[in-house]
Amino acid sequence: MNEFVNMERLTPETHHEHTRTGRSVEALKRAFNDNLFYVTGQPFAKATPQDHYRVLAYTIRDRLLERFITSAQNYKRSGAKTVCYLSAEFLLGPHLGNNILNLGLWDNVEQAMQELGLELDSVLEQEAEPGLGNGGLGRLAACYMDSLATLEIPAIGYGIRYEFGIFDQVIQDGWQVEVTDAWLRNGNPWELPRPNLRYPVNLGGHTELYTDENGNQRVRWLPEQTVYGMAYDTPILGYGVYNVNLLRLWKSEARESFDFQAFNLGDYYGAVNDKVVAENLSKVLYPNDEPEAGKELRLKQQYFFVSCSLQDMIRIALRDVGSLDCFPEKFAAQLNDTHPAIAVAELMRLLVDEHALAWDSAWNITRRTFAYTNHTLLPEALETWSLDLFERILPRHLEIIREINNQFLDEVRMRFLGDEQRVARMSLIDEAGGRRVRMANLACVGSFAVNGVAQLHSELLKSTVLRDFHELWPEKFSNKTNGVTPRRTIALSNRPLTALIDEVVDGDWLRNLESLRQLEPYAENPTFRENWRGVKLSAKQRLAAYVQRVVGVTIDPHSLFDMQVKRIHEYKRQHLNVLHIVSLYNRLKHDPSLKITPRTFVFGGKAAPGYRMAKLIIKLINSVAEIVNRDPQVNQQLRVVFVPDLNVKTAQQIYPAADLSEQISTAGKEASGTGNMKFSMNGALTIGTLDGANVEIRDAVGAENFFLFGRTEQQVQELVASGYQPWSVVEQDEELRSAIDLINSGLFSHGDRQLFAPLIDDLLQRDPYLVCADYRSYLDCQDQVAVRYRDVDSWTRMSILNVARIGGFSSDRAIREYCEHIWKAQAVTMNLNTEIA
Ligand code: F58
């Protein structure tokens, strides 16, 4: 692994290896012992594995802090534009390994631990996962923070410090059971509490007009409640650079830890209750449930973090520039989906009500500050809020939105004379039926740029959900295909692969992932191919040991590892994968002498707690696994495992071990996908539809190195329009019918024929995601996979070419595009001679 020597600032203290900044093995050992004593207050002999983790975390954090402070001061001095990434989720994954890697200290730390009688991997294992996100969207935010720092772009990630992140998933009797995620139980060495950075956030109440001292008519918000947001800062170090950026997460609090006044008035319980209510705001991350579950708290959360973040940005602007006129030159604020879209109204409120700007100047500033990324086309996932709820919680914002809407709709009327239907569609408020505020419309109107997350998705945005907005402002729209950070995806997850690539690829490929192209000629090199297979086999062995330990199932590392790892959702079609497994089971049972390519099917992923069908799919996977794995007639050639509790940490074990990556969503439904990129970076081949970023991955790696099946988005549309009847497809496909019959027969459910009926009935009657329609094409393609896998050399060649050509899916590429086309943000480079301002 690359070591970055000379990164240290050569101040007098650091000359002779300061305890808190020294990088040598000796200095690290000294620092570790020192922290062990002074942080945990224990002798070495008494320390637990958790203590070892905490102490190493502090030791590494010490090595970030000077850079953190220097970066902030240099950013300020440079006057450079700061990117503010507003996101309700940051799915960071463990910090310790990442920071050691980015500091270039891996080998030294490993050796220091060894000399202290500890194993680095076991120490890393102790870190609790900061699971502050649901899935792809939250993980993307974390990858982007990594790339922003690595590209030396001044950036702040703003979000919520949830006390409970995404639930831990336990499998009981094949069902998902949710367990609360107390990730802060043992403390969090990576965060720096900032008690001085606290902002008030108002909720509820009403507004009134008043005349200010200059005789102007103004609006005042008289809230029912005020909570406070306190900042918790986490340093985000770039890879191989000096820069450390800031992740600032807000925790909600009551005004005082105790309301003394109420106490004195005798309302003790009332005071305690206010405190509980206030602290609830940042208590728990919402799982991406079915629409409309317990939404009030969610709206408050969104407003809470957005308001704190904008107040913080305004404070910084006033401090650094002294005025708010240049706000859009100072900040580019990215809305990660519509969850922070209330920012459009909140910035208007802050500028007009609190900072006394004229409406037009405020609107001009607001529209030049925000940019919006859309992450979904599913109509049911587009966020709207009932007008009643909105008015009750955010009365002033509703007034502001109405005013924005009036002016906006006048503009629409002027452009499209007489087209009142269009006006109704584009309105920020859906006046029909339920009367709701449309957050995507608000985000479009309040932003200077709107983007989708893969080419196909961006095109579909323009022709479907945001069509009217595209017709009005085509210049606002662009595509920014997602990317993932190769630091975590390759270097941290797959050290053997990293070492093998290091042997043959020149230059710092982890920063310039396109350099992986240098691997191409090695696809023809038999020795290299052999080594490549060795790397894959070792990853499969590691996963097999893990699966043995946590699931208790034995899997054969020499079988084809066929993996589908992502949130469980009908549109992602895990049940299509299951139908393939059941079909193979059928084939083997009907012909006991049949030899197939031995496969291990690996699933992983959480279902939203309220999503019944997704939970039933998990039960189905586990039920099929139970029967298949214990049937001696098939279990030499077929195994199925569901790896529980997929999170960043467990995923790092899974991606490297895959031979085949399942990216089988119905075309047009997956906005991009990022797991598809992670698998491919680790040398898996993809079986996939032309959906999301699969399309671009296939273009990049070459159609001959990608297993394509299924209907295109257009064909999906046509089939649906022509009146799709799934049962007629089932009738005509004998193999599909017997697979469905077998599930129906109760074989996988101890004779209970009702258990999977909701799933099966839905497949036969509605099949909204065209599982039946794509089944034949999928099975034929899987048969091709089986044949190709047996040709070991050709498979390895394809695997190498996948990695060689995947460089464009680094999040560095994505962030460069955002910086150049949307944010207009530039690097602030620092080196060992950069002084503290
Ligand atoms: C995902 N969205 C997309 N949403 O589904 C995926 O295609 C894309 O690659 C990824 O974003 C990144 O662009 C997603 O993960 C959520 O998890 C939301 C969280 C908040 C509640 C609603 C779902």
Side-chain angles (χ1 to χ4, degrees), residues 89 134 136-137 140 288 298 339 375 453 482 571 670-673:
E89 304 192 354
N134 271 284
L137 171 147
L140 186 78
N288 55 354
R298 171 92 173 149
H339 320 134
H375 296 264
V453 290
N482 284 166
Y571 83 79
E670 188 69 270
S672 162

Side-chain angles (χ1 to χ4, degrees), residues 88-89 133-138 140 285-289 298 336-337 339 373-376 381 383 453 482 567 571-572 669-677 692:
E89 304 192 354
N134 271 284
L137 171 147
L140 186 78
L285 166 78
Y286 268 82
N288 55 354
D289 250 334
R298 171 92 173 149
N336 195 26
D337 215 297
H339 320 134
T373 304
N374 171 290
H375 296 264
T376 186
E383 228 179 2
V453 290
N482 284 166
R567 286 298 285 240
Y571 83 79
K572 296 179 190 278
K669 303 296 181 197
E670 188 69 270
S672 162
T674 42
N676 45 7
M677 303 167 188

Side-chain angles (χ1 to χ4, degrees), residues 202-272:
N202 295 333
L203 296 165
H206 62 277
T207 62
E208 68 179 20
L209 283 172
Y210 72 101
T211 309
D212 71 10
E213 57 275 20
N214 303 321
N216 296 319
Q217 281 269 299
R218 307 270 300 273
V219 178
R220 181 154 52 209
W221 179 10
L222 300 161
E224 186 190 320
Q225 190 195 4
T226 301
V227 301
Y228 288 79
M230 175 176 150
Y232 282 72
D233 288 353
T234 302
I236 304 288
L237 170 67
Y239 173 79
V241 292
Y242 198 93
N243 302 52
V244 178
N245 280 340
L246 169 62
L247 176 64
R248 179 159 283 171
L249 303 180
W250 303 103
K251 175 182 191 288
S252 62
E253 292 188 335
R255 178 199 304 271
E256 297 288 346
S257 56
F258 217 95
D259 191 330
F260 286 105
Q261 202 197 350
F263 186 64
N264 289 334
L265 292 174
D267 187 11
Y268 180 80
Y269 288 102
V272 173

